[in-house]
Amino acid sequence: MPAALGFATIALFLLLTMTKRVSVLVALVVLPVLAALAGGFAGELGGMVLDGLSKVAPIGIMIAFAVLYFSLMVDAGLFDPLIRGLLRLAKGDPMRVTVATAVLTLCVALDGDGASTFLITVSALLPVYRKLGMSPLVLSGVVCLGAGVMNMIPWGGPTVRAMAALKLESSDVFTPVLPAMGFGIAWVLVASWLIGRRERQRLGALTGPGEEATDGEPVPATASAPGDETVPATAPAPGDGPGAVRVAAPAPRRLALFNLLLTVVLVVALILEVMPLPVLFVLGFAVALLVNHPTWEQQQALLDRHAKNVVLVTTMIFAAGVFTGVLTGTGMIDDMAEALVSVIPDSLGGHLPVLVAVTGMPLSLVFTPDAYYFGVLPVLAETAHGFGTDPAEVARAAILGQMTTGFPLSPLTAATFILVGMSGVQLGEHQRFIFRWAFATTLVMTAGAVLTGAFSL
């Protein structure tokens, strides 16, 4: 009975969220409560919910202060010099512009927020792409690759969800896959170079006699990128409300240097785990807020400006705590895992982490991030445990395979439409253009994870 009830709960969760009948937050809270009542666990319900909430509380704190910290840095113009420097180095060469796009995305995506990443990168680079006649598909595709890999950071969507769903720490999930993430970053740079070289050749073929681009590279004088006539360079992201676009206010030189040093120290401390991640972000944000906005009025204004983003993210994390707390407390997860173990051939059981990594990226086109991590991953983890595999290995595999989940490839996530809308491309064209490159990124990182021992083959 618990197994059947658990499968029914997850199936209903997937159905309701994928068809947008109810919000993910409502489904995460209401469905497990109804399942517990139907299974006769009414008397234990309060304790199970509190247990689930207490276990995800550190994650909720971390993500709240991470969003605030990086939002403050974006407002302060921390990334503006990087943008200007990359454009100077590109010198009008389509190949260099493409690689610069990848580097900029990898840096900006450190905040773990897709919307701000797309607003910064596309707004800064789309006019350059238009001036050179480059296809906006190159822009949307390369941003997709860079943001997807960086989405693995501990305060990014997939890793946060994996930790919340399986109640693991960053040291269990993220730290072991850091080398594999390095493989992924290297591949993104190689892929952007290959894509850029192909774009340079395409533009060279379109160039008329006597036309030359800066740095000796041919560029068509009148070529226009698809979508140029419909989407202005400053097109707002779909669904953005008043004040959604973050306008950087360049800080004084000393303050800019302080922000850079503070961010470097914070990132190094996060990687070395000098303190628990929530503590580091709380302290980092408090220091940054005090230095950048010394008055009470300025501090309150910044908190008001970014409060919506914090609430949206943290409420989802705590709702996930309710979902996993109830399903775990009632024994549904254990029973579902036992049911799956009975049907999976023993020859495949030991290879489950690799299978999860390889199949995760295509599944991102079918499942929403919440559906996959909160509905599917716990069952996969318990199934792997039945075969003697550490559930943490499955979590690592999931964030490698689902690195683009919630980011601009799946039609089930809003971030996808923000990127394609701002770039002026069609979703189908974007998917056809970048899918194989994104899948190759997953394969490269999976191979890196196996080679470095993050999980076994």
Side-chain angles (χ1 to χ4, degrees):
M1 170 109 179
L5 194 57
F7 281 121
T9 301
I10 291 177
L12 190 57
F13 173 77
L14 298 177
L15 176 64
L16 292 177
T17 55
M18 291 175 67
T19 57
K20 299 182 179 179
R21 298 294 178 87
V22 298
S23 69
V24 173
L25 189 147
V26 170
L28 284 171
V29 174
V30 173
L31 291 180
V33 170
L34 293 177
L37 295 176
F41 297 96
E44 308 165 45
L45 182 59
M48 291 186 290
V49 170
L50 284 178
D51 184 57
L53 289 172
S54 64
K55 289 181 178 178
V56 300
I59 298 172
I61 295 169
M62 179 192 72
I63 192 68
F65 283 92
V67 170
L68 288 173
Y69 180 86
F70 284 107
S71 296
L72 185 156
M73 290 302 169
V74 170
D75 286 353
L78 178 65
F79 300 104
D80 288 357
L82 175 63
I83 295 172
R84 292 192 294 266
L86 288 173
L87 292 180
R88 280 197 299 267
L89 290 174
K91 296 181 180 179
D93 181 354
M95 186 181 73
R96 293 185 183 182
V97 170
T98 306
V99 175
T101 302
V103 174
L104 178 62
T105 304
L106 291 169
C107 294
V108 176
L110 271 171
D111 70 347
D113 179 20
S116 63
T117 298
F118 307 146
L119 285 169
I120 294 170
T121 54
V122 177
S123 298
L125 295 174
L126 184 58
V128 178
Y129 275 68
R130 285 177 166 162
K131 182 177 180 181
L132 298 178
M134 296 176 64
S135 171
L137 285 171
V138 174
L139 174 59
S140 64
V142 173
V143 170
C144 172
L145 295 180
V149 171
M150 294 306 294
N151 202 23
M152 292 169 54
I153 54 181
W155 51 93
T159 306
V160 165
R161 289 182 177 93
M163 291 190 297
L166 301 185
K167 299 176 177 63
L168 298 171
E169 300 294 330
S170 174
S171 57
D172 300 318
V173 181
F174 176 69
T175 305
V177 298
L178 257 177
M181 185 178 178
F183 278 79
I185 291 173
W187 166 251
V188 167
L189 295 176
V190 171
S192 64
W193 179 78
L194 293 172
I195 294 171
R197 188 176 65 169
R198 188 175 64 180
E199 183 68 0
R200 176 204 277 175
Q201 293 170 348
R202 183 187 72 85
L203 292 174
L206 293 174
T207 304
E211 295 176 5
E212 292 186 357
T214 306
D215 204 29
E217 291 302 327
V219 172
T222 59
S224 60
D228 280 355
E229 66 282 2
T230 58
V231 180
T234 57
D240 282 351
V245 178
R246 302 174 185 175
V247 180
R253 185 177 182 83
R254 279 191 226 173
L255 193 54
L257 180 59
F258 170 82
N259 287 337
L260 177 60
L261 292 175
L262 179 63
T263 302
V264 171
V265 170
L266 178 60
V267 171
V268 171
L270 290 169
I271 294 174
L272 297 179
E273 297 185 39
V274 176
M275 293 182 183
L277 269 64
V279 176
L280 288 172
F281 271 117
V282 169
L283 294 177
F285 174 69
V287 172
L289 182 62
L290 180 62
V291 173
N292 284 269
H293 303 281
T295 68
W296 181 89
E297 291 80 8
Q298 292 174 339
Q299 295 169 4
Q300 193 64 31
L302 182 131
L303 292 173
D304 289 342
R305 189 160 60 249
H306 299 292
K308 179 180 178 181
N309 293 334
V310 174
V311 170
L312 289 175
V313 175
T314 53
T315 53
M316 196 68 67
I317 296 300
F318 286 113
V322 176
F323 190 87
T324 56
V326 172
L327 263 64
T328 301
T330 57
M332 295 181 195
I333 292 290
D334 292 336
D335 286 0
M336 286 189 290
E338 291 178 7
L340 285 178
V341 168
S342 65
V343 299
I344 295 178
D346 292 340
S347 58
L348 295 179
H351 305 293
L352 204 53
V354 173
L355 292 175
V356 170
V358 172
T359 60
M361 194 266 159
L363 286 177
S364 69
L365 300 177
V366 179
F367 293 106
T368 65
D370 299 303
Y372 183 83
Y373 284 99
F374 300 131
V376 178
L377 180 60
V379 179
L380 292 174
E382 287 300 322
T383 302
H385 184 67
F387 286 103
T389 301
D390 186 353
E393 292 190 19
V394 178
R396 297 167 201 158
I399 65 174
L400 294 180
Q402 290 261 323
M403 63 99 185
T404 54
T405 301
F407 272 77
L409 193 63
S410 171
L412 302 176
T413 56
T416 301
F417 297 98
I418 293 176
L419 178 61
V420 298
M422 292 188 67
S423 302
V425 300
Q426 297 295 322
L427 176 60
E429 294 176 345
H430 170 68
Q431 290 174 327
R432 287 192 296 272
F433 178 82
I434 206 61
F435 180 88
R436 62 185 183 276
W437 297 99
F439 189 52
T441 307
T442 290
L443 296 180
V444 168
M445 290 195 296
T446 300
V450 172
L451 289 174
T452 56
F455 51 78
S456 55
L457 182 61

